[in-house]
Amino acid sequence: MTTNASLLARRQKAVPRGVVTGAPIFLDRALNGEMWDVEGNRYVDFGSGIAVTNTGHRHPKIMAAAAAQSEKFAHVAFQVTGYEGYVELAERLNDLAPINDAKSIFFTTGAEATENAVKIARAYTGRQAVITFTGAFHGRTQLTMAMTGKAVPYRTRGTPLAAGIFHVPFPIAHHGVTEEDALHALHNVFKADVGPQDVAAIVIEPVQGEGGFYQTPKAFMTELRRICDEHGICLVADEVQTGFARTGKIFAIEHYDIEPDLIPVAKALGGGFPISGVIGKAHIMDAAEPGGLGGTYAGNPIACAAALAVLDVIDEEKLCERADTIGGIMLARIEKFKQSNSLRPIGDVRGLGAMVAFEMVKERGGNEPDPDATKAVTAAALKAGLILLSCGYYANTIRLLAPLTIDMAHLDEGLDMLEVALKV
Ligand SMILES: Cc1ncc(COP(=O)(O)O)c(C=O)c1O
């Protein structure tokens, strides 16, 4: 019989350690908010494949759309012949994005989307430098690795870093960086490292994903927009993790009063089928030379069909509203956990829609990060039957990313499992 242990042994021989699997189980099947491993064990899914299955596992509409497209053709390359699904998806996203007069282009992974947003911003401005933030995560390619604001494990072992990337501290008041501190640091970068006239883009996640679910403060985002306008810099809102109803809006940047220039998207757009894209102001998007953008698999037809169905499901099932409901239920339970003396100490609790997180701290009422407790809780959650992810610049954030379609009974069950995992 195939067991988790036998597959783990084969995996360790066949697959390098550089790709880490958080839960040492091997999946057999999944449906909406539930998963079953090869031994038949059942789990509630609070991971959504890292914010991908916002529409749940195997949503019938999405699977049907992908199946219908696969009956026609699976691949042609958009650079070889066009197909309607690609164009229709661009039209739908152009209408949905908070950008007046937008165009969209598609790729496959989030890193590609973020990297291409920078490429487009560089083509438009004719400048090279890019500013990103500590704790940011933008991918694992050569450029996005340099943009990512966490050295270990993403930028180690002598890997040369792409030039022209400058990091500014991300404002997290309870970890000692105020908005004023961050703006001061940005002005120092302009003075000491690169003049604003040489900066192509400032790239920021509206809510940091891998960095710990820290929301960019509203006034800070407004000030970034003002600075970008003053100096002709493109403001890029990386929505790879926040996009597609996760935060209670289709795009998290809709929580702000500003219009970004470019929005890289990926993950939940395809509902499990690999597709990413960049949505942006038309005159900026058109700056790259013909032939300068694209990719063999970019905007795969099956993934485009799935993505169109994802947008329908988000609309028909009111997943933005559902994100708020789910987030509210989660936050209320976590606040209760925080008050309980029989559970491990919890620090800051935060959430925007269903992008909810809390910090594990060394002492009740304290603020000192406890990465060991964080690891212990995710491991205990798995034992209890809950797929739970950690993250964070300080490696002490537990993030809750249930599918937005999750059955409410499964949501409660998952939170009960989390309570068990938090027991001292
Ligand atoms: C905000 C953000 N940008 C970019 C990426 C990279 O996406 P991918 O892993 O699909 O390359 C991620 C992945 O977690 C992300 O959260």
Side-chain angles (χ1 to χ4, degrees), residues 46-200:
F46 274 11
S48 292
I50 324 182
V52 167
T53 51
N54 286 4
T55 41
H57 293 283
R58 290 198 290 129
H59 192 290
K61 273 208 159 169
I62 299 165
M63 300 312 285
Q69 176 57 43
S70 67
E71 289 298 315
K72 294 181 180 169
F73 55 91
H75 172 80
V76 286
F78 195 67
Q79 287 104 309
V80 176
T81 69
Y83 37 93
E84 189 176 357
Y86 189 117
V87 179
E88 191 182 342
L89 186 59
E91 289 167 346
R92 293 274 298 272
L93 291 176
N94 296 343
D95 283 347
L96 284 170
I99 291 179
N100 193 23
D101 190 21
K103 283 191 172 183
S104 293
I105 183 168
F106 300 110
F107 303 99
T108 310
T109 65
E112 260 185 296
T114 315
E115 178 144 354
N116 274 282
V118 169
K119 195 171 174 181
I120 292 165
R122 284 175 166 166
Y124 176 68
T125 58
R127 309 171 181 177
Q128 286 194 12
V130 174
I131 290 173
T132 64
F133 292 85
T134 52
F137 185 82
H138 298 295
R140 291 181 174 85
T141 60
Q142 199 68 20
L143 178 68
T144 57
M145 175 175 71
M147 292 166 64
T148 288
K150 192 173 181 186
V152 179
Y154 306 122
R155 310 159 38 149
T156 55
R157 301 226 159 219
T159 315
L161 290 178
I165 312 290
F166 301 90
H167 288 105
V168 167
F170 185 81
I172 307 172
H174 72 275
H175 284 304
V177 184
T178 65
E179 291 174 50
E180 293 70 37
D181 294 335
L183 286 173
H184 186 67
L186 175 60
H187 289 294
N188 270 344
V189 166
F190 284 159
K191 212 166 182 178
D193 298 321
V194 60
Q197 72 282 354
D198 292 321
V199 177

Side-chain angles (χ1 to χ4, degrees), residues 3 18 23 29 83 88 96 113 129 132 214 244 253 258 319 354 400 411:
T3 61
R29 69 201 160 87
Y83 37 93
E88 191 182 342
L96 284 170
T132 64
Y214 297 107
F244 304 102
I253 199 71
I258 59 118
L319 293 189
L400 276 55
L411 175 64

Side-chain angles (χ1 to χ4, degrees), residues 52-398:
V52 167
T53 51
N54 286 4
T55 41
H57 293 283
R58 290 198 290 129
H59 192 290
K61 273 208 159 169
I62 299 165
M63 300 312 285
Q69 176 57 43
S70 67
E71 289 298 315
K72 294 181 180 169
F73 55 91
H75 172 80
V76 286
F78 195 67
Q79 287 104 309
V80 176
T81 69
Y83 37 93
E84 189 176 357
Y86 189 117
V87 179
E88 191 182 342
L89 186 59
E91 289 167 346
R92 293 274 298 272
L93 291 176
N94 296 343
D95 283 347
L96 284 170
I99 291 179
N100 193 23
D101 190 21
K103 283 191 172 183
S104 293
I105 183 168
F106 300 110
F107 303 99
T108 310
T109 65
E112 260 185 296
T114 315
E115 178 144 354
N116 274 282
V118 169
K119 195 171 174 181
I120 292 165
R122 284 175 166 166
Y124 176 68
T125 58
R127 309 171 181 177
Q128 286 194 12
V130 174
I131 290 173
T132 64
F133 292 85
T134 52
F137 185 82
H138 298 295
R140 291 181 174 85
T141 60
Q142 199 68 20
L143 178 68
T144 57
M145 175 175 71
M147 292 166 64
T148 288
K150 192 173 181 186
V152 179
Y154 306 122
R155 310 159 38 149
T156 55
R157 301 226 159 219
T159 315
L161 290 178
I165 312 290
F166 301 90
H167 288 105
V168 167
F170 185 81
I172 307 172
H174 72 275
H175 284 304
V177 184
T178 65
E179 291 174 50
E180 293 70 37
D181 294 335
L183 286 173
H184 186 67
L186 175 60
H187 289 294
N188 270 344
V189 166
F190 284 159
K191 212 166 182 178
D193 298 321
V194 60
Q197 72 282 354
D198 292 321
V199 177
I202 296 180
V203 185
I204 190 159
E205 296 155 86
V207 183
Q208 284 200 333
E210 301 306 301
F213 284 21
Y214 297 107
Q215 190 184 349
T216 302
K218 283 197 175 160
F220 188 76
M221 189 71 91
T222 305
E223 182 58 10
L224 289 185
R225 178 71 272 178
R226 194 198 62 72
I227 290 167
C228 286
D229 287 342
E230 185 183 338
H231 299 290
I233 300 168
C234 292
L235 182 61
V236 180
D238 183 343
E239 292 255 16
V240 167
Q241 190 150 163
T242 50
F244 304 102
R246 173 56 57 188
T247 69
K249 307 255 188 208
I250 303 278
F251 300 95
I253 199 71
E254 293 174 65
H255 290 284
Y256 299 82
D257 296 328
I258 59 118
E259 195 180 338
D261 295 307
L262 298 163
I263 310 177
V265 291
K267 289 190 185 269
L269 171 61
F273 292 86
I275 185 163
S276 67
V278 181
I279 312 161
K281 291 181 180 165
H283 66 286
I284 299 178
M285 295 291 287
D286 274 331
E289 286 299 318
L293 301 175
T296 305
Y297 288 119
N300 170 269
I302 296 175
C304 283
L308 286 165
V310 163
L311 296 179
D312 288 342
V313 169
I314 289 174
D315 182 42
E316 288 161 13
E317 300 187 17
K318 300 193 173 12
L319 293 189
C320 288
E321 286 91 328
R322 216 157 185 277
D324 287 336
T325 306
I326 289 169
I329 292 169
M330 285 177 163
L331 287 172
R333 274 299 285 280
I334 298 165
E335 286 295 350
K336 274 197 182 160
F337 297 162
K338 190 174 169 174
Q339 305 310 323
S340 168
N341 284 328
S342 56
L343 303 181
R344 289 174 183 269
I346 288 175
D348 189 58
V349 179
R350 51 187 175 269
L352 188 64
M355 195 164 179
V356 170
F358 60 92
E359 292 188 31
M360 300 307 301
V361 290
K362 293 238 157 111
E363 278 170 31
R364 213 164 292 287
N367 205 24
E368 194 186 336
D370 193 342
D372 292 337
T374 312
K375 272 191 207 147
V377 170
T378 50
L382 185 69
K383 261 196 177 162
L386 177 67
I387 303 290
L388 192 63
L389 307 178
S390 62
C391 64
Y393 190 62
Y394 302 95
N396 74 325
T397 300
I398 304 266

